[in-house]
Amino acid sequence: MSFLEDVKTRRSVRAFDGKAPSAEIINELKEYAENITNPYGVNVRFVFLDAKENDLSSPVLSGETLYVSAVVKKAEHFEEAYGYAFQKLLMKAHQLGLGTVWIGGTMPRDKFEAASDLKDGEYMPCMSPLGVTAKKMSVKEVLMRKGVKADTRKAFEELFYNGSFATPITESASMGMGLHDALEVVRFAPSAVNKQPWRIVIADRKAHFFEAHDKGFVTPDYDLQKIDMGIALYNFETQLLSEGRTTELSCEKPEIKAPEGMDYIATISF
Ligand SMILES: Cc1cc2nc3c(=O)[nH]c(=O)nc-3n(C[C@H](O)[C@H](O)[C@H](O)COP(=O)(O)O)c2cc1C
């Protein structure tokens, strides 16, 4: 399957079949996790947690037996690095046939943090269950998806711009620019409450990423929507790499006037 297909076939899974996933698959994922890096060079530590052994559960999940949490220390750009690295792991899990869902809110946080053995200065913003997807979605799951309109995404022209924020990119224009699939994998990325905070301005073979802030996502310790931005950066870069292009991430604010409440995050040159 291509990366584009992987992204399009992924969805948040909140109902599992109650059985432990195969040890072989989990071992492959653990090995993969050991070697995950990110363009920011920030260390992200993954912790695999058995649900029973650690007495863990989440009010939005059913039938899961295993979780993976991700732990990080505060550093420059740690949220974007975190989103990038954890998305890389969760896409691999999807490729291995496992169901996952980013959970940043709906969990007994104290218990997951204790089980993840947080050291001084470490944070565990999110975790995900890892399991075999149940044949049928749970009623809770169907309602949650409806609540956040999880099956819809903003249109190209609401998210992507050419040269400045004054010129939106339509889907057909993105094809002419050779960027359709790279933008599509950003559009389909998961985000907290499906807010899709990413905005991209394309200029001179550079994609400048901006964050459109919504209220209620910044905690004293981190900004959940910056984690969404890291997810978008991973998807965009991985699609371009799969097309045989080379990419480079940098953080130098371009001379582009951004609307109110919009923060510059990073640039991917391609
Ligand atoms: C950083 C982040 C945090 C999230 N936190 C939660 C959460 O606490 N509970 C939950 O049920 N879903 C959570 N989600 C999942 C989103 O609701 C989901 O990705 C979005 O609705 C889009 O649906 P999809 O993943 O099926 O495409 C989170 C997603 C992200 C990226």
Short mmCIF file of all heavy atoms in Angstrom, two decimals, residues 159-194:
data_model
loop_
_atom_site.label_atom_id
_atom_site.label_comp_id
_atom_site.label_asym_id
_atom_site.label_seq_id
_atom_site.Cartn_x
_atom_site.Cartn_y
_atom_site.Cartn_z
N LEU A 159 -7.34 25.37 3.76
CA LEU A 159 -6.11 24.97 4.48
C LEU A 159 -4.82 25.40 3.79
O LEU A 159 -3.82 25.63 4.45
CB LEU A 159 -6.07 23.44 4.61
CG LEU A 159 -7.22 22.76 5.36
CD1 LEU A 159 -7.10 21.25 5.26
CD2 LEU A 159 -7.21 23.18 6.82
N PHE A 160 -4.84 25.47 2.46
CA PHE A 160 -3.60 25.61 1.70
C PHE A 160 -3.62 26.85 0.81
O PHE A 160 -4.66 27.17 0.20
CB PHE A 160 -3.37 24.35 0.86
CG PHE A 160 -3.52 23.07 1.65
CD1 PHE A 160 -4.33 22.03 1.19
CD2 PHE A 160 -2.86 22.91 2.86
CE1 PHE A 160 -4.49 20.86 1.92
CE2 PHE A 160 -3.01 21.73 3.61
CZ PHE A 160 -3.82 20.71 3.14
N TYR A 161 -2.46 27.52 0.73
CA TYR A 161 -2.37 28.81 0.04
C TYR A 161 -1.13 28.88 -0.83
O TYR A 161 -0.12 28.22 -0.55
CB TYR A 161 -2.36 29.94 1.06
CG TYR A 161 -3.60 29.92 1.95
CD1 TYR A 161 -3.63 29.11 3.09
CD2 TYR A 161 -4.73 30.63 1.61
CE1 TYR A 161 -4.77 29.04 3.89
CE2 TYR A 161 -5.88 30.57 2.38
CZ TYR A 161 -5.89 29.77 3.52
OH TYR A 161 -7.02 29.69 4.28
N ASN A 162 -1.20 29.70 -1.86
CA ASN A 162 -0.08 29.84 -2.80
C ASN A 162 0.53 31.24 -2.68
O ASN A 162 -0.13 32.22 -3.02
CB ASN A 162 -0.59 29.61 -4.23
CG ASN A 162 0.54 29.36 -5.20
OD1 ASN A 162 1.73 29.44 -4.83
ND2 ASN A 162 0.19 29.07 -6.45
N GLY A 163 1.74 31.33 -2.16
CA GLY A 163 2.44 32.62 -2.08
C GLY A 163 2.09 33.44 -0.87
O GLY A 163 2.97 33.96 -0.19
N SER A 164 0.78 33.57 -0.60
CA SER A 164 0.34 34.33 0.58
C SER A 164 -1.03 33.80 0.99
O SER A 164 -1.65 33.04 0.25
CB SER A 164 0.24 35.82 0.25
OG SER A 164 -0.97 36.05 -0.45
N PHE A 165 -1.49 34.25 2.16
CA PHE A 165 -2.79 33.79 2.63
C PHE A 165 -3.95 34.34 1.79
O PHE A 165 -5.10 33.97 2.00
CB PHE A 165 -2.98 34.16 4.11
CG PHE A 165 -2.30 33.19 5.05
CD1 PHE A 165 -1.05 33.47 5.58
CD2 PHE A 165 -2.91 31.99 5.39
CE1 PHE A 165 -0.42 32.56 6.43
CE2 PHE A 165 -2.30 31.08 6.24
CZ PHE A 165 -1.04 31.37 6.77
N ALA A 166 -3.61 35.20 0.82
CA ALA A 166 -4.67 35.79 -0.01
C ALA A 166 -5.09 34.85 -1.16
O ALA A 166 -6.14 35.04 -1.76
CB ALA A 166 -4.19 37.11 -0.59
N THR A 167 -4.25 33.85 -1.45
CA THR A 167 -4.53 33.00 -2.63
C THR A 167 -4.69 31.53 -2.24
O THR A 167 -3.70 30.80 -2.14
CB THR A 167 -3.38 33.12 -3.66
OG1 THR A 167 -3.01 34.50 -3.77
CG2 THR A 167 -3.79 32.59 -5.01
N PRO A 168 -5.92 31.08 -2.01
CA PRO A 168 -6.14 29.67 -1.65
C PRO A 168 -5.79 28.74 -2.80
O PRO A 168 -5.89 29.12 -3.97
CB PRO A 168 -7.64 29.60 -1.35
CG PRO A 168 -8.11 31.01 -1.24
CD PRO A 168 -7.18 31.85 -2.05
N ILE A 169 -5.41 27.52 -2.45
CA ILE A 169 -5.11 26.48 -3.46
C ILE A 169 -6.30 25.53 -3.51
O ILE A 169 -6.67 24.93 -2.50
CB ILE A 169 -3.84 25.69 -3.07
CG1 ILE A 169 -2.61 26.62 -3.06
CG2 ILE A 169 -3.61 24.52 -4.03
CD1 ILE A 169 -1.32 25.95 -2.57
N THR A 170 -6.90 25.39 -4.69
CA THR A 170 -7.99 24.43 -4.85
C THR A 170 -7.39 23.05 -5.07
O THR A 170 -6.19 22.92 -5.37
CB THR A 170 -8.87 24.77 -6.07
OG1 THR A 170 -8.02 24.73 -7.23
CG2 THR A 170 -9.50 26.15 -5.95
N GLU A 171 -8.23 22.03 -4.97
CA GLU A 171 -7.72 20.67 -5.17
C GLU A 171 -7.13 20.53 -6.58
O GLU A 171 -6.06 19.95 -6.75
CB GLU A 171 -8.82 19.64 -4.92
CG GLU A 171 -8.29 18.22 -5.06
CD GLU A 171 -9.19 17.16 -4.46
OE1 GLU A 171 -10.35 17.47 -4.11
OE2 GLU A 171 -8.72 16.01 -4.34
N SER A 172 -7.82 21.08 -7.59
CA SER A 172 -7.30 20.90 -8.95
C SER A 172 -6.00 21.70 -9.13
O SER A 172 -5.07 21.23 -9.80
CB SER A 172 -8.34 21.26 -10.00
OG SER A 172 -8.67 22.61 -9.91
N ALA A 173 -5.89 22.86 -8.50
CA ALA A 173 -4.63 23.63 -8.58
C ALA A 173 -3.49 22.85 -7.93
O ALA A 173 -2.35 22.87 -8.41
CB ALA A 173 -4.79 24.99 -7.90
N SER A 174 -3.79 22.12 -6.85
CA SER A 174 -2.73 21.36 -6.16
C SER A 174 -2.14 20.29 -7.09
O SER A 174 -0.97 19.95 -6.99
CB SER A 174 -3.27 20.72 -4.88
OG SER A 174 -4.06 19.57 -5.18
N MET A 175 -2.99 19.78 -7.99
CA MET A 175 -2.49 18.77 -8.94
C MET A 175 -1.50 19.40 -9.90
O MET A 175 -0.43 18.86 -10.14
CB MET A 175 -3.66 18.16 -9.72
CG MET A 175 -4.52 17.28 -8.85
SD MET A 175 -5.99 16.74 -9.76
CE MET A 175 -6.88 15.95 -8.43
N GLY A 176 -1.85 20.57 -10.41
CA GLY A 176 -0.96 21.29 -11.32
C GLY A 176 0.37 21.62 -10.66
O GLY A 176 1.40 21.71 -11.33
N MET A 177 0.35 21.79 -9.34
CA MET A 177 1.58 22.13 -8.62
C MET A 177 2.37 20.89 -8.24
O MET A 177 3.44 20.98 -7.63
CB MET A 177 1.23 22.90 -7.33
CG MET A 177 0.50 24.20 -7.58
SD MET A 177 -0.24 24.86 -6.05
CE MET A 177 1.21 25.58 -5.28
N GLY A 178 1.83 19.71 -8.55
CA GLY A 178 2.51 18.45 -8.19
C GLY A 178 2.48 18.18 -6.69
O GLY A 178 3.35 17.48 -6.17
N LEU A 179 1.50 18.76 -6.00
CA LEU A 179 1.48 18.62 -4.54
C LEU A 179 0.18 18.01 -4.00
O LEU A 179 -0.08 18.03 -2.79
CB LEU A 179 1.68 20.00 -3.89
CG LEU A 179 3.10 20.55 -3.94
CD1 LEU A 179 3.14 21.97 -3.40
CD2 LEU A 179 4.06 19.66 -3.14
N HIS A 180 -0.63 17.45 -4.92
CA HIS A 180 -1.94 16.97 -4.46
C HIS A 180 -1.83 15.97 -3.31
O HIS A 180 -2.44 16.14 -2.26
CB HIS A 180 -2.73 16.35 -5.62
CG HIS A 180 -4.03 15.79 -5.15
ND1 HIS A 180 -4.18 14.48 -4.74
CD2 HIS A 180 -5.25 16.38 -4.96
CE1 HIS A 180 -5.43 14.29 -4.33
NE2 HIS A 180 -6.08 15.42 -4.47
N ASP A 181 -1.02 14.92 -3.51
CA ASP A 181 -0.99 13.85 -2.52
C ASP A 181 -0.35 14.32 -1.21
O ASP A 181 -0.77 13.92 -0.12
CB ASP A 181 -0.26 12.62 -3.08
CG ASP A 181 -1.05 11.98 -4.23
OD1 ASP A 181 -2.18 12.44 -4.51
OD2 ASP A 181 -0.53 11.03 -4.85
N ALA A 182 0.68 15.17 -1.31
CA ALA A 182 1.36 15.66 -0.10
C ALA A 182 0.40 16.51 0.74
O ALA A 182 0.46 16.49 1.98
CB ALA A 182 2.61 16.45 -0.48
N LEU A 183 -0.47 17.27 0.07
CA LEU A 183 -1.44 18.09 0.80
C LEU A 183 -2.60 17.22 1.31
O LEU A 183 -3.12 17.42 2.40
CB LEU A 183 -1.95 19.23 -0.08
CG LEU A 183 -0.86 20.26 -0.46
CD1 LEU A 183 -1.43 21.30 -1.42
CD2 LEU A 183 -0.28 20.95 0.77
N GLU A 184 -2.97 16.22 0.50
CA GLU A 184 -4.06 15.33 0.89
C GLU A 184 -3.73 14.56 2.18
O GLU A 184 -4.59 14.37 3.03
CB GLU A 184 -4.34 14.36 -0.27
CG GLU A 184 -5.55 13.47 -0.09
CD GLU A 184 -6.90 14.16 -0.32
OE1 GLU A 184 -7.02 15.37 -0.06
OE2 GLU A 184 -7.83 13.46 -0.76
N VAL A 185 -2.47 14.15 2.34
CA VAL A 185 -2.12 13.40 3.57
C VAL A 185 -2.09 14.31 4.80
O VAL A 185 -2.20 13.84 5.93
CB VAL A 185 -0.79 12.60 3.44
CG1 VAL A 185 -0.93 11.47 2.44
CG2 VAL A 185 0.39 13.48 3.13
N VAL A 186 -1.94 15.61 4.58
CA VAL A 186 -2.08 16.56 5.70
C VAL A 186 -3.56 16.70 6.03
O VAL A 186 -3.98 16.60 7.19
CB VAL A 186 -1.47 17.94 5.35
CG1 VAL A 186 -1.84 18.99 6.42
CG2 VAL A 186 0.04 17.84 5.21
N ARG A 187 -4.37 16.89 5.00
CA ARG A 187 -5.82 17.06 5.19
C ARG A 187 -6.42 15.89 5.96
O ARG A 187 -7.30 16.07 6.80
CB ARG A 187 -6.45 17.14 3.80
CG ARG A 187 -7.51 18.21 3.62
CD ARG A 187 -7.79 18.43 2.15
NE ARG A 187 -8.39 17.28 1.50
CZ ARG A 187 -9.69 16.96 1.53
NH1 ARG A 187 -10.53 17.71 2.19
NH2 ARG A 187 -10.14 15.90 0.91
N PHE A 188 -5.95 14.69 5.68
CA PHE A 188 -6.54 13.49 6.30
C PHE A 188 -5.89 13.12 7.62
O PHE A 188 -6.26 12.12 8.23
CB PHE A 188 -6.49 12.30 5.32
CG PHE A 188 -7.70 12.27 4.43
CD1 PHE A 188 -7.76 13.04 3.28
CD2 PHE A 188 -8.81 11.50 4.78
CE1 PHE A 188 -8.88 13.04 2.48
CE2 PHE A 188 -9.94 11.49 3.98
CZ PHE A 188 -9.99 12.27 2.82
N ALA A 189 -4.92 13.89 8.07
CA ALA A 189 -4.25 13.56 9.33
C ALA A 189 -5.24 13.68 10.50
O ALA A 189 -6.22 14.42 10.42
CB ALA A 189 -3.07 14.52 9.54
N PRO A 190 -4.99 12.93 11.58
CA PRO A 190 -5.82 13.10 12.77
C PRO A 190 -5.42 14.36 13.54
O PRO A 190 -4.26 14.79 13.47
CB PRO A 190 -5.48 11.85 13.60
CG PRO A 190 -4.09 11.49 13.19
CD PRO A 190 -3.94 11.91 11.75
N SER A 191 -6.37 14.97 14.23
CA SER A 191 -6.04 16.12 15.07
C SER A 191 -6.99 16.14 16.26
O SER A 191 -8.08 15.56 16.20
CB SER A 191 -6.17 17.44 14.28
OG SER A 191 -7.48 17.57 13.74
N ALA A 192 -6.56 16.79 17.34
CA ALA A 192 -7.36 16.86 18.56
C ALA A 192 -8.72 17.48 18.22
O ALA A 192 -8.79 18.56 17.61
CB ALA A 192 -6.64 17.66 19.63
N VAL A 193 -9.80 16.81 18.59
CA VAL A 193 -11.18 17.23 18.33
C VAL A 193 -11.40 17.53 16.84
O VAL A 193 -12.28 18.30 16.47
CB VAL A 193 -11.61 18.41 19.24
CG1 VAL A 193 -13.13 18.52 19.34
CG2 VAL A 193 -11.06 18.27 20.65
N ASN A 194 -10.59 16.92 16.00
CA ASN A 194 -10.68 17.09 14.54
C ASN A 194 -10.69 18.56 14.12
O ASN A 194 -11.36 18.94 13.17
CB ASN A 194 -11.93 16.37 13.99
CG ASN A 194 -11.83 16.07 12.50
OD1 ASN A 194 -10.74 16.00 11.94
ND2 ASN A 194 -12.97 15.94 11.86
#
